[in-house]
Amino acid sequence: MDWLLATPQLYSAFSSLGCLEGDTYVVNPNALAILEEINYKLTYEDQTLRTFRRAIGFGQNVRSDLIPLLENAKDDAVLE
């Protein structure tokens, strides 16, 4: 399972959604396009192994990237 955490595509996709600067989470202006790419990968991943979903879970990307994004996004399209 270590290979899931070391997947550079997963790390780069979620880390490019935004970043924490001090106490403020700054949302990337291209966050919508990045979320669409993540959605595409989830849609077309292996139906049996679900490796992308597992990597998201093991990497705790929901807690570290998606929740701060949803809390700080001002764009309604990103929230949808």
Side-chain angles (χ1 to χ4, degrees):
M1 287 296 183
D2 290 337
W3 66 269
L4 289 174
L5 298 175
T7 307
Q9 296 87 2
L10 178 72
Y11 178 76
S12 68
F14 280 92
S15 66
S16 59
L17 287 172
C19 62
L20 192 61
E21 292 182 5
D23 292 335
T24 307
Y25 187 84
V26 179
V27 178
N28 185 338
N30 297 327
L32 182 59
I34 297 164
L35 288 171
E36 289 173 352
E37 177 186 339
I38 291 169
N39 187 38
Y40 176 83
K41 289 179 181 181
L42 286 169
T43 303
Y44 294 105
E45 73 178 338
D46 185 343
Q47 298 292 319
T48 305
L49 298 176
R50 299 288 191 190
T51 53
F52 192 68
R53 291 171 200 256
R54 290 179 188 205
I56 291 170
F58 285 118
Q60 299 182 358
N61 295 99
V62 173
R63 180 183 54 81
S64 63
D65 296 307
L66 291 179
I67 291 175
L69 174 72
L70 293 174
E71 291 176 342
N72 295 292
K74 309 257 189 290
D75 186 7
D76 289 336
V78 170
L79 295 174
E80 290 177 12

